[in-house]
Amino acid sequence: MDSKVQAYIDQYGVTDETRIFLNSRHLMYINGEFVNSSDSATLTVIEPCTEGLIGEVPAATTEDINTAVAAANHAFHKGEWSQWKPAQREQVLHRIADLVEKNLQTLAEIESLDAGKAIEGCKAVDIIGSIDLLRYMAGWATKIDGATRPVSVDGEHFVYTLKEPLGVVGAIVPWNWPFNMAIWKLAAPLAVGCTVVLKPAQQTPLSVLYLAKLCQQAGLPKGALNIVTGKGSTVGNHLVQHPDIDKVSFTGSTEVGKIVGKAAIENLNHLTLELGGKSPMVVFEDADIGKVVDATQQSIFFNTGQVCSGGSRIYIHRSIYEPVLEAIARKANAMKIGATLDPSIAMGPAISASQKQTVVSYIQLGLDEGARLICGGKSVQGPGYFLEPTLLADCSNEMRVVQEEIFGPVLVAIPFDTNEEAIALANDNIYGLAASVFTQDISLAHRSVSQLKAGTVWVNTHDMIDVNMPFGGVKQSGFGKDLGPEQLEYFLETKSVWIAL
Ligand code: NAD
């Protein structure tokens, strides 16, 4: 940790445990042990509010990944984990959840510092959401069952299906929800008896390395969860190509998802891809404007707009177009932007200098394409990768700011005249992660739900997530589901068993 980060945490204060962790040497977690990379190479990690160095983590080598995959294979086929009963898996996941809860403040601080997340939202959504998911999936460990089936072939047979864990899962997560996405990727496979090799994003490896300590403390058998750190182009790439993994579970951009998908298909591995989005919000003539404004606050202006399912395009009926724009801008302009350890802030920085530059370039592109700036539009003077919440109006569907994922606090607005036109515009995009509609008309709401091509559709809200509701996209937002009972199926193989009587 450099002096800039040190001064920052001194100013706001963190738990002793956070200080001890940040001052410790960060190591990967392979086969139940904390290890350096085999060539001792490291990667630096930057704190986005100060642009200071917060730590260094090992840059895993090919050899390290091979060791992690071998450990996961041993744990799955022969190790202690392979012998564990479902109830034992349930108990260990509960113990991990309890330890995460006990260390809630520390984990939120580490995550806030590592990923530039506003501390209060980080606690409520990232960490508590993860505890909920660990407990939810723990409950499923004892409830995986097959079915007996009547068959009509000649002879007498007793026939049933068995649900068996797939094996070793190579899991890769992005930087926008480092801890939470990691739990999304590991809770379900561990619950059903798979083993996992997890790679966090290179920008945000710290909270999952802290999680490794908690897993060890909880008594998770060695090899069940392995964490390797490093760059996607090397560590991630080698992991997804590894011949000894059985499933790739990836969350990240569509661009990288396509590379990962090709590698998985090469080995005929199972595959889940949770990818990018450009989710539309459709505001019909009778919408409750207050609900629309709240939805923008909890999606595109939450987490500095670095939300895969954030409502980033808004289609507004022409009759209420200006009042809706004004109401969104009023609330956006009132958002307090600042240091993420300050509990009173609403929005922290972007993750990195390059992400901030990408967002600024997109805003300029929108203006060059003819958009009208309603609020924001600039980056905030550093240090820190801060940006203003931005609303660009009078856009059209052909514009790049409407079609492409910006991944920042930038909302683009388009007016419409008929409901049919609005749905057609909303569907006119390569992505299909999520969508929302705002109306008091229940028939219009239901019709829109079925017409929108998206993995999740919200009515009069946006970006609500629950552990019991599956989440995943269609079109170029990927395939497969995380969360809910549906996720379990993606880590299970169905075996058909025939017994001639
Ligand atoms: P990214 O695709 O650049 O990286 C995601 C992960 O993949 C990182 O861990 C990275 O190191 C790794 N990676 C990079 N190149 C790789 C390669 N060649 N092989 C294997 N792994 C590789 O995405 P990002 O910038 O970290 O995250 C932002 C993206 O994630 C956005 O597009 C966002 O919409 C998406 N996202 C989707 C969801 C969802 O549930 N659909 C959730 C969160 C984020």
Side-chain angles (χ1 to χ4, degrees), residues 172-177 181 184 199-203 230-233 236-237 240 250-254 256-257 259-260 274-277 307-308 405 407 433 471 477 482:
I172 297 192
V173 292
W175 46 258
N176 61 333
W177 308 92
M181 284 294 120
W184 280 35
K199 191 202 91 62
Q202 71 210 47
Q203 299 89 339
K231 288 189 177 169
S233 53
N237 197 37
V240 296
F250 175 84
T251 297
S253 62
T254 295
V256 175
I259 299 170
V260 166
E274 300 286 359
L275 308 178
V307 180
C308 54
E405 184 180 48
F407 223 51
L433 190 54
F471 184 87
S477 291
D482 283 347

mmCIF file of all heavy atoms in Angstrom, residues 172-177 181 184 199-203 230-233 236-237 240 250-254 256-257 259-260 274-277 307-308 405 407 433 471 477 482, ligand 1:
data_model
loop_
_atom_site.group_PDB
_atom_site.id
_atom_site.type_symbol
_atom_site.label_atom_id
_atom_site.label_comp_id
_atom_site.label_asym_id
_atom_site.label_seq_id
_atom_site.Cartn_x
_atom_site.Cartn_y
_atom_site.Cartn_z
ATOM 1 N N ILE A 172 -14.581 -17.531 -14.196
ATOM 2 C CA ILE A 172 -13.901 -16.253 -14.440
ATOM 3 C C ILE A 172 -14.887 -15.122 -14.206
ATOM 4 O O ILE A 172 -16.032 -15.172 -14.688
ATOM 5 C CB ILE A 172 -13.363 -16.225 -15.883
ATOM 6 C CG1 ILE A 172 -12.313 -17.326 -16.032
ATOM 7 C CG2 ILE A 172 -12.779 -14.860 -16.229
ATOM 8 C CD1 ILE A 172 -11.481 -17.292 -17.259
ATOM 9 N N VAL A 173 -14.453 -14.122 -13.440
ATOM 10 C CA VAL A 173 -15.373 -13.032 -13.081
ATOM 11 C C VAL A 173 -14.789 -11.660 -13.442
ATOM 12 O O VAL A 173 -13.574 -11.500 -13.525
ATOM 13 C CB VAL A 173 -15.764 -13.078 -11.581
ATOM 14 C CG1 VAL A 173 -16.628 -14.299 -11.301
ATOM 15 C CG2 VAL A 173 -14.550 -13.056 -10.671
ATOM 16 N N PRO A 174 -15.680 -10.665 -13.612
ATOM 17 C CA PRO A 174 -15.237 -9.311 -13.972
ATOM 18 C C PRO A 174 -14.976 -8.457 -12.726
ATOM 19 O O PRO A 174 -15.126 -8.928 -11.602
ATOM 20 C CB PRO A 174 -16.438 -8.777 -14.749
ATOM 21 C CG PRO A 174 -17.611 -9.428 -14.088
ATOM 22 C CD PRO A 174 -17.153 -10.772 -13.604
ATOM 23 N N TRP A 175 -14.646 -7.180 -12.982
ATOM 24 C CA TRP A 175 -14.241 -6.306 -11.873
ATOM 25 C C TRP A 175 -15.395 -5.496 -11.283
ATOM 26 O O TRP A 175 -15.195 -4.800 -10.293
ATOM 27 C CB TRP A 175 -13.133 -5.341 -12.315
ATOM 28 C CG TRP A 175 -13.380 -4.675 -13.644
ATOM 29 C CD1 TRP A 175 -12.814 -5.018 -14.838
ATOM 30 C CD2 TRP A 175 -14.262 -3.576 -13.924
ATOM 31 N NE1 TRP A 175 -13.295 -4.203 -15.842
ATOM 32 C CE2 TRP A 175 -14.181 -3.307 -15.308
ATOM 33 C CE3 TRP A 175 -15.119 -2.790 -13.141
ATOM 34 C CZ2 TRP A 175 -14.931 -2.289 -15.931
ATOM 35 C CZ3 TRP A 175 -15.866 -1.795 -13.760
ATOM 36 C CH2 TRP A 175 -15.763 -1.548 -15.133
ATOM 37 N N ASN A 176 -16.576 -5.538 -11.884
ATOM 38 C CA ASN A 176 -17.602 -4.605 -11.387
ATOM 39 C C ASN A 176 -18.303 -5.100 -10.115
ATOM 40 O O ASN A 176 -18.807 -4.288 -9.343
ATOM 41 C CB ASN A 176 -18.606 -4.242 -12.484
ATOM 42 C CG ASN A 176 -19.359 -5.414 -13.019
ATOM 43 O OD1 ASN A 176 -18.884 -6.543 -12.999
ATOM 44 N ND2 ASN A 176 -20.551 -5.176 -13.522
ATOM 45 N N TRP A 177 -18.346 -6.419 -9.887
ATOM 46 C CA TRP A 177 -18.857 -6.981 -8.613
ATOM 47 C C TRP A 177 -17.898 -8.103 -8.220
ATOM 48 O O TRP A 177 -18.303 -9.267 -8.219
ATOM 49 C CB TRP A 177 -20.265 -7.581 -8.797
ATOM 50 C CG TRP A 177 -21.259 -6.695 -9.438
ATOM 51 C CD1 TRP A 177 -21.554 -6.615 -10.765
ATOM 52 C CD2 TRP A 177 -22.102 -5.725 -8.796
ATOM 53 N NE1 TRP A 177 -22.510 -5.666 -10.976
ATOM 54 C CE2 TRP A 177 -22.863 -5.107 -9.786
ATOM 55 C CE3 TRP A 177 -22.252 -5.332 -7.458
ATOM 56 C CZ2 TRP A 177 -23.777 -4.111 -9.504
ATOM 57 C CZ3 TRP A 177 -23.165 -4.348 -7.180
ATOM 58 C CH2 TRP A 177 -23.924 -3.752 -8.195
ATOM 59 N N MET A 181 -19.816 -11.509 -7.664
ATOM 60 C CA MET A 181 -19.782 -12.382 -8.840
ATOM 61 C C MET A 181 -19.036 -13.682 -8.537
ATOM 62 O O MET A 181 -19.378 -14.747 -9.048
ATOM 63 C CB MET A 181 -19.097 -11.679 -10.018
ATOM 64 C CG MET A 181 -19.935 -10.648 -10.710
ATOM 65 S SD MET A 181 -21.355 -11.361 -11.544
ATOM 66 C CE MET A 181 -22.674 -10.531 -10.711
ATOM 67 N N TRP A 184 -21.470 -15.789 -6.881
ATOM 68 C CA TRP A 184 -22.404 -16.290 -7.911
ATOM 69 C C TRP A 184 -21.797 -17.496 -8.627
ATOM 70 O O TRP A 184 -22.495 -18.400 -9.045
ATOM 71 C CB TRP A 184 -22.672 -15.202 -8.963
ATOM 72 C CG TRP A 184 -23.669 -14.152 -8.594
ATOM 73 C CD1 TRP A 184 -23.885 -13.616 -7.361
ATOM 74 C CD2 TRP A 184 -24.576 -13.476 -9.478
ATOM 75 N NE1 TRP A 184 -24.857 -12.647 -7.436
ATOM 76 C CE2 TRP A 184 -25.295 -12.540 -8.721
ATOM 77 C CE3 TRP A 184 -24.821 -13.553 -10.847
ATOM 78 C CZ2 TRP A 184 -26.272 -11.706 -9.267
ATOM 79 C CZ3 TRP A 184 -25.780 -12.727 -11.403
ATOM 80 C CH2 TRP A 184 -26.511 -11.812 -10.619
ATOM 81 N N LYS A 199 -10.854 -17.414 -11.221
ATOM 82 C CA LYS A 199 -9.932 -16.319 -11.525
ATOM 83 C C LYS A 199 -10.664 -14.988 -11.421
ATOM 84 O O LYS A 199 -11.565 -14.701 -12.206
ATOM 85 C CB LYS A 199 -9.366 -16.456 -12.943
ATOM 86 C CG LYS A 199 -8.206 -15.481 -13.159
ATOM 87 C CD LYS A 199 -7.948 -15.164 -14.608
ATOM 88 C CE LYS A 199 -8.682 -13.983 -15.136
ATOM 89 N NZ LYS A 199 -8.369 -12.678 -14.496
ATOM 90 N N PRO A 200 -10.282 -14.155 -10.439
ATOM 91 C CA PRO A 200 -10.875 -12.815 -10.376
ATOM 92 C C PRO A 200 -10.278 -11.923 -11.458
ATOM 93 O O PRO A 200 -9.258 -12.262 -12.056
ATOM 94 C CB PRO A 200 -10.454 -12.315 -8.986
ATOM 95 C CG PRO A 200 -9.190 -13.058 -8.682
ATOM 96 C CD PRO A 200 -9.284 -14.394 -9.375
ATOM 97 N N ALA A 201 -10.904 -10.778 -11.697
ATOM 98 C CA ALA A 201 -10.340 -9.812 -12.647
ATOM 99 C C ALA A 201 -9.030 -9.276 -12.093
ATOM 100 O O ALA A 201 -8.867 -9.138 -10.881
ATOM 101 C CB ALA A 201 -11.327 -8.670 -12.873
ATOM 102 N N GLN A 202 -8.111 -8.945 -12.985
ATOM 103 C CA GLN A 202 -6.783 -8.506 -12.511
ATOM 104 C C GLN A 202 -6.862 -7.201 -11.734
ATOM 105 O O GLN A 202 -6.039 -6.942 -10.858
ATOM 106 C CB GLN A 202 -5.819 -8.368 -13.683
ATOM 107 C CG GLN A 202 -6.117 -7.199 -14.585
ATOM 108 C CD GLN A 202 -5.693 -7.468 -16.021
ATOM 109 O OE1 GLN A 202 -5.978 -8.523 -16.591
ATOM 110 N NE2 GLN A 202 -5.004 -6.518 -16.593
ATOM 111 N N GLN A 203 -7.901 -6.372 -12.033
ATOM 112 C CA GLN A 203 -8.038 -5.084 -11.331
ATOM 113 C C GLN A 203 -8.510 -5.286 -9.897
ATOM 114 O O GLN A 203 -8.267 -4.429 -9.045
ATOM 115 C CB GLN A 203 -9.062 -4.193 -12.045
ATOM 116 C CG GLN A 203 -8.730 -3.821 -13.480
ATOM 117 C CD GLN A 203 -9.257 -4.831 -14.492
ATOM 118 O OE1 GLN A 203 -9.534 -5.984 -14.148
ATOM 119 N NE2 GLN A 203 -9.394 -4.426 -15.724
ATOM 120 N N GLY A 230 -4.263 -13.109 -11.884
ATOM 121 C CA GLY A 230 -3.431 -12.735 -13.034
ATOM 122 C C GLY A 230 -4.285 -12.168 -14.145
ATOM 123 O O GLY A 230 -5.485 -11.940 -13.989
ATOM 124 N N LYS A 231 -3.645 -11.953 -15.279
ATOM 125 C CA LYS A 231 -4.326 -11.324 -16.404
ATOM 126 C C LYS A 231 -5.235 -12.314 -17.128
ATOM 127 O O LYS A 231 -4.944 -13.508 -17.180
ATOM 128 C CB LYS A 231 -3.286 -10.809 -17.398
ATOM 129 C CG LYS A 231 -2.537 -9.599 -16.906
ATOM 130 C CD LYS A 231 -1.691 -9.033 -18.022
ATOM 131 C CE LYS A 231 -1.007 -7.770 -17.535
ATOM 132 N NZ LYS A 231 0.011 -7.300 -18.443
ATOM 133 N N GLY A 232 -6.286 -11.761 -17.731
ATOM 134 C CA GLY A 232 -7.202 -12.606 -18.488
ATOM 135 C C GLY A 232 -6.544 -13.228 -19.694
ATOM 136 O O GLY A 232 -6.752 -14.412 -19.996
ATOM 137 N N SER A 233 -5.735 -12.437 -20.385
ATOM 138 C CA SER A 233 -5.146 -12.915 -21.640
ATOM 139 C C SER A 233 -4.160 -14.061 -21.419
ATOM 140 O O SER A 233 -3.881 -14.821 -22.341
ATOM 141 C CB SER A 233 -4.446 -11.757 -22.349
ATOM 142 O OG SER A 233 -3.541 -11.148 -21.447
ATOM 143 N N GLY A 236 -6.472 -16.380 -17.522
ATOM 144 C CA GLY A 236 -7.844 -16.738 -17.910
ATOM 145 C C GLY A 236 -7.842 -17.610 -19.150
ATOM 146 O O GLY A 236 -8.533 -18.639 -19.222
ATOM 147 N N ASN A 237 -7.033 -17.211 -20.098
ATOM 148 C CA ASN A 237 -6.969 -17.921 -21.368
ATOM 149 C C ASN A 237 -6.508 -19.368 -21.169
ATOM 150 O O ASN A 237 -7.081 -20.311 -21.738
ATOM 151 C CB ASN A 237 -5.989 -17.158 -22.271
ATOM 152 C CG ASN A 237 -6.151 -17.537 -23.713
ATOM 153 O OD1 ASN A 237 -7.261 -17.760 -24.160
ATOM 154 N ND2 ASN A 237 -5.047 -17.626 -24.423
ATOM 155 N N VAL A 240 -9.364 -21.497 -19.336
ATOM 156 C CA VAL A 240 -10.530 -21.949 -20.121
ATOM 157 C C VAL A 240 -10.146 -22.959 -21.198
ATOM 158 O O VAL A 240 -11.000 -23.695 -21.681
ATOM 159 C CB VAL A 240 -11.310 -20.761 -20.735
ATOM 160 C CG1 VAL A 240 -11.892 -19.889 -19.658
ATOM 161 C CG2 VAL A 240 -10.463 -19.943 -21.699
ATOM 162 N N PHE A 250 -18.362 -18.243 -17.149
ATOM 163 C CA PHE A 250 -17.706 -16.959 -17.412
ATOM 164 C C PHE A 250 -18.683 -15.800 -17.275
ATOM 165 O O PHE A 250 -19.799 -15.851 -17.809
ATOM 166 C CB PHE A 250 -17.140 -16.967 -18.841
ATOM 167 C CG PHE A 250 -16.540 -15.647 -19.268
ATOM 168 C CD1 PHE A 250 -15.228 -15.314 -18.933
ATOM 169 C CD2 PHE A 250 -17.278 -14.723 -19.993
ATOM 170 C CE1 PHE A 250 -14.670 -14.101 -19.311
ATOM 171 C CE2 PHE A 250 -16.731 -13.498 -20.382
ATOM 172 C CZ PHE A 250 -15.423 -13.189 -20.039
ATOM 173 N N THR A 251 -18.270 -14.759 -16.590
ATOM 174 C CA THR A 251 -18.999 -13.490 -16.611
ATOM 175 C C THR A 251 -18.023 -12.407 -17.032
ATOM 176 O O THR A 251 -16.946 -12.271 -16.450
ATOM 177 C CB THR A 251 -19.583 -13.162 -15.225
ATOM 178 O OG1 THR A 251 -20.534 -14.173 -14.870
ATOM 179 C CG2 THR A 251 -20.315 -11.817 -15.242
ATOM 180 N N GLY A 252 -18.406 -11.646 -18.044
ATOM 181 C CA GLY A 252 -17.541 -10.582 -18.536
ATOM 182 C C GLY A 252 -18.111 -9.996 -19.812
ATOM 183 O O GLY A 252 -19.315 -10.116 -20.086
ATOM 184 N N SER A 253 -17.246 -9.419 -20.617
ATOM 185 C CA SER A 253 -17.717 -8.738 -21.822
ATOM 186 C C SER A 253 -18.066 -9.751 -22.921
ATOM 187 O O SER A 253 -17.553 -10.878 -22.943
ATOM 188 C CB SER A 253 -16.628 -7.800 -22.331
ATOM 189 O OG SER A 253 -15.485 -8.547 -22.676
ATOM 190 N N THR A 254 -18.901 -9.312 -23.842
ATOM 191 C CA THR A 254 -19.281 -10.165 -24.973
ATOM 192 C C THR A 254 -18.057 -10.481 -25.825
ATOM 193 O O THR A 254 -17.885 -11.613 -26.297
ATOM 194 C CB THR A 254 -20.381 -9.463 -25.790
ATOM 195 O OG1 THR A 254 -21.541 -9.367 -24.945
ATOM 196 C CG2 THR A 254 -20.737 -10.220 -27.055
ATOM 197 N N VAL A 256 -14.847 -10.803 -24.965
ATOM 198 C CA VAL A 256 -14.025 -11.869 -24.368
ATOM 199 C C VAL A 256 -14.843 -13.161 -24.268
ATOM 200 O O VAL A 256 -14.311 -14.259 -24.465
ATOM 201 C CB VAL A 256 -13.463 -11.443 -22.988
ATOM 202 C CG1 VAL A 256 -12.719 -12.590 -22.326
ATOM 203 C CG2 VAL A 256 -12.538 -10.239 -23.136
ATOM 204 N N GLY A 257 -16.130 -13.038 -24.018
ATOM 205 C CA GLY A 257 -17.002 -14.214 -23.931
ATOM 206 C C GLY A 257 -16.934 -15.066 -25.195
ATOM 207 O O GLY A 257 -16.956 -16.301 -25.141
ATOM 208 N N ILE A 259 -14.338 -15.353 -27.188
ATOM 209 C CA ILE A 259 -13.031 -16.050 -27.188
ATOM 210 C C ILE A 259 -13.108 -17.254 -26.242
ATOM 211 O O ILE A 259 -12.703 -18.365 -26.563
ATOM 212 C CB ILE A 259 -11.905 -15.091 -26.715
ATOM 213 C CG1 ILE A 259 -11.787 -13.902 -27.663
ATOM 214 C CG2 ILE A 259 -10.580 -15.824 -26.563
ATOM 215 C CD1 ILE A 259 -10.868 -12.785 -27.150
ATOM 216 N N VAL A 260 -13.683 -16.992 -25.061
ATOM 217 C CA VAL A 260 -13.804 -18.031 -24.033
ATOM 218 C C VAL A 260 -14.704 -19.170 -24.547
ATOM 219 O O VAL A 260 -14.405 -20.360 -24.369
ATOM 220 C CB VAL A 260 -14.379 -17.410 -22.736
ATOM 221 C CG1 VAL A 260 -14.847 -18.465 -21.758
ATOM 222 C CG2 VAL A 260 -13.333 -16.489 -22.089
ATOM 223 N N GLU A 274 -22.214 -15.220 -19.162
ATOM 224 C CA GLU A 274 -23.007 -14.070 -18.700
ATOM 225 C C GLU A 274 -22.277 -12.838 -19.203
ATOM 226 O O GLU A 274 -21.231 -12.480 -18.672
ATOM 227 C CB GLU A 274 -23.092 -14.056 -17.168
ATOM 228 C CG GLU A 274 -23.735 -15.282 -16.541
ATOM 229 C CD GLU A 274 -25.242 -15.324 -16.711
ATOM 230 O OE1 GLU A 274 -25.804 -14.386 -17.310
ATOM 231 O OE2 GLU A 274 -25.852 -16.297 -16.268
ATOM 232 N N LEU A 275 -22.823 -12.187 -20.229
ATOM 233 C CA LEU A 275 -22.043 -11.182 -20.956
ATOM 234 C C LEU A 275 -22.630 -9.772 -20.833
ATOM 235 O O LEU A 275 -23.400 -9.486 -19.935
ATOM 236 C CB LEU A 275 -21.905 -11.632 -22.410
ATOM 237 C CG LEU A 275 -21.365 -13.072 -22.576
ATOM 238 C CD1 LEU A 275 -21.301 -13.480 -24.032
ATOM 239 C CD2 LEU A 275 -20.003 -13.238 -21.908
ATOM 240 N N GLY A 276 -22.239 -8.929 -21.765
ATOM 241 C CA GLY A 276 -22.577 -7.511 -21.674
ATOM 242 C C GLY A 276 -24.046 -7.216 -21.923
ATOM 243 O O GLY A 276 -24.843 -8.106 -22.226
ATOM 244 N N GLY A 277 -24.385 -5.949 -21.785
ATOM 245 C CA GLY A 277 -25.776 -5.552 -21.986
ATOM 246 C C GLY A 277 -25.903 -4.093 -22.376
ATOM 247 O O GLY A 277 -24.963 -3.295 -22.239
ATOM 248 N N VAL A 307 -22.719 -1.510 -14.348
ATOM 249 C CA VAL A 307 -23.727 -2.521 -14.015
ATOM 250 C C VAL A 307 -24.148 -3.170 -15.334
ATOM 251 O O VAL A 307 -24.646 -2.484 -16.224
ATOM 252 C CB VAL A 307 -24.956 -1.864 -13.347
ATOM 253 C CG1 VAL A 307 -26.004 -2.897 -12.986
ATOM 254 C CG2 VAL A 307 -24.551 -1.066 -12.118
ATOM 255 N N CYS A 308 -23.922 -4.485 -15.441
ATOM 256 C CA CYS A 308 -24.187 -5.151 -16.725
ATOM 257 C C CYS A 308 -25.626 -4.969 -17.175
ATOM 258 O O CYS A 308 -25.896 -4.797 -18.356
ATOM 259 C CB CYS A 308 -23.853 -6.629 -16.626
ATOM 260 S SG CYS A 308 -24.674 -7.452 -15.259
ATOM 261 N N GLU A 405 -22.311 -0.882 -25.463
ATOM 262 C CA GLU A 405 -22.228 -0.838 -23.996
ATOM 263 C C GLU A 405 -21.128 0.152 -23.600
ATOM 264 O O GLU A 405 -19.966 -0.015 -23.975
ATOM 265 C CB GLU A 405 -21.888 -2.231 -23.451
ATOM 266 C CG GLU A 405 -21.871 -2.279 -21.936
ATOM 267 C CD GLU A 405 -21.531 -3.664 -21.385
ATOM 268 O OE1 GLU A 405 -20.555 -4.273 -21.833
ATOM 269 O OE2 GLU A 405 -22.262 -4.114 -20.478
ATOM 270 N N PHE A 407 -20.693 1.226 -20.222
ATOM 271 C CA PHE A 407 -20.270 0.756 -18.899
ATOM 272 C C PHE A 407 -19.787 1.915 -18.028
ATOM 273 O O PHE A 407 -18.702 1.890 -17.433
ATOM 274 C CB PHE A 407 -19.201 -0.326 -19.022
ATOM 275 C CG PHE A 407 -19.445 -1.465 -18.069
ATOM 276 C CD1 PHE A 407 -20.681 -2.080 -18.015
ATOM 277 C CD2 PHE A 407 -18.455 -1.925 -17.207
ATOM 278 C CE1 PHE A 407 -20.937 -3.124 -17.145
ATOM 279 C CE2 PHE A 407 -18.696 -2.955 -16.324
ATOM 280 C CZ PHE A 407 -19.940 -3.552 -16.311
ATOM 281 N N LEU A 433 -29.833 -8.650 -22.227
ATOM 282 C CA LEU A 433 -29.649 -9.051 -20.826
ATOM 283 C C LEU A 433 -30.892 -8.752 -20.004
ATOM 284 O O LEU A 433 -31.404 -9.607 -19.280
ATOM 285 C CB LEU A 433 -28.422 -8.343 -20.239
ATOM 286 C CG LEU A 433 -27.955 -8.816 -18.873
ATOM 287 C CD1 LEU A 433 -27.719 -10.326 -18.853
ATOM 288 C CD2 LEU A 433 -26.677 -8.105 -18.442
ATOM 289 N N PHE A 471 -30.901 -15.364 -13.314
ATOM 290 C CA PHE A 471 -30.404 -14.168 -14.000
ATOM 291 C C PHE A 471 -29.493 -14.616 -15.135
ATOM 292 O O PHE A 471 -28.594 -15.432 -14.930
ATOM 293 C CB PHE A 471 -29.621 -13.302 -13.002
ATOM 294 C CG PHE A 471 -29.147 -12.001 -13.594
ATOM 295 C CD1 PHE A 471 -29.959 -10.884 -13.598
ATOM 296 C CD2 PHE A 471 -27.877 -11.901 -14.169
ATOM 297 C CE1 PHE A 471 -29.527 -9.682 -14.158
ATOM 298 C CE2 PHE A 471 -27.435 -10.709 -14.718
ATOM 299 C CZ PHE A 471 -28.258 -9.598 -14.717
ATOM 300 N N SER A 477 -25.950 -11.301 -25.088
ATOM 301 C CA SER A 477 -25.691 -11.200 -23.644
ATOM 302 C C SER A 477 -25.385 -12.573 -23.055
ATOM 303 O O SER A 477 -25.166 -12.697 -21.843
ATOM 304 C CB SER A 477 -26.883 -10.567 -22.924
ATOM 305 O OG SER A 477 -26.985 -9.211 -23.294
ATOM 306 N N ASP A 482 -27.466 -17.796 -13.886
ATOM 307 C CA ASP A 482 -26.941 -17.782 -12.530
ATOM 308 C C ASP A 482 -28.144 -17.561 -11.614
ATOM 309 O O ASP A 482 -29.172 -17.036 -12.052
ATOM 310 C CB ASP A 482 -25.940 -16.639 -12.340
ATOM 311 C CG ASP A 482 -24.567 -16.966 -12.959
ATOM 312 O OD1 ASP A 482 -24.328 -18.138 -13.291
ATOM 313 O OD2 ASP A 482 -23.760 -16.042 -13.094
HETATM 314 P P1 NAD B 1 -13.742 -8.620 -19.498
HETATM 315 O O1 NAD B 1 -14.449 -9.488 -20.467
HETATM 316 O O2 NAD B 1 -12.678 -7.733 -19.999
HETATM 317 O O3 NAD B 1 -13.055 -9.516 -18.362
HETATM 318 C C1 NAD B 1 -13.816 -10.433 -17.600
HETATM 319 C C2 NAD B 1 -12.880 -11.477 -17.037
HETATM 320 O O4 NAD B 1 -12.322 -12.224 -18.128
HETATM 321 C C3 NAD B 1 -11.690 -10.909 -16.270
HETATM 322 O O5 NAD B 1 -11.405 -11.751 -15.166
HETATM 323 C C4 NAD B 1 -10.574 -10.971 -17.281
HETATM 324 O O6 NAD B 1 -9.291 -11.051 -16.689
HETATM 325 C C5 NAD B 1 -10.921 -12.264 -18.018
HETATM 326 N N1 NAD B 1 -10.353 -12.387 -19.376
HETATM 327 C C6 NAD B 1 -9.964 -11.400 -20.212
HETATM 328 N N2 NAD B 1 -9.494 -11.929 -21.366
HETATM 329 C C7 NAD B 1 -9.603 -13.269 -21.252
HETATM 330 C C8 NAD B 1 -9.310 -14.366 -22.117
HETATM 331 N N3 NAD B 1 -8.793 -14.181 -23.326
HETATM 332 N N4 NAD B 1 -9.572 -15.605 -21.677
HETATM 333 C C9 NAD B 1 -10.112 -15.820 -20.459
HETATM 334 N N5 NAD B 1 -10.399 -14.822 -19.596
HETATM 335 C C10 NAD B 1 -10.157 -13.567 -19.989
HETATM 336 O O7 NAD B 1 -14.872 -7.825 -18.710
HETATM 337 P P2 NAD B 1 -14.681 -6.724 -17.580
HETATM 338 O O8 NAD B 1 -14.241 -5.477 -18.237
HETATM 339 O O9 NAD B 1 -13.901 -7.291 -16.452
HETATM 340 O O10 NAD B 1 -16.188 -6.584 -17.042
HETATM 341 C C11 NAD B 1 -17.136 -5.809 -17.650
HETATM 342 C C12 NAD B 1 -18.018 -6.646 -18.552
HETATM 343 O O11 NAD B 1 -18.634 -7.691 -17.812
HETATM 344 C C13 NAD B 1 -19.167 -5.822 -19.128
HETATM 345 O O12 NAD B 1 -19.325 -6.148 -20.487
HETATM 346 C C14 NAD B 1 -20.367 -6.285 -18.309
HETATM 347 O O13 NAD B 1 -21.604 -6.111 -18.948
HETATM 348 C C15 NAD B 1 -20.035 -7.712 -18.077
HETATM 349 N N6 NAD B 1 -20.780 -8.266 -16.941
HETATM 350 C C16 NAD B 1 -21.800 -9.130 -17.175
HETATM 351 C C17 NAD B 1 -22.561 -9.625 -16.113
HETATM 352 C C18 NAD B 1 -23.701 -10.585 -16.345
HETATM 353 O O14 NAD B 1 -24.180 -11.196 -15.391
HETATM 354 N N7 NAD B 1 -24.177 -10.742 -17.569
HETATM 355 C C19 NAD B 1 -22.235 -9.249 -14.806
HETATM 356 C C20 NAD B 1 -21.184 -8.372 -14.595
HETATM 357 C C21 NAD B 1 -20.449 -7.882 -15.678
#
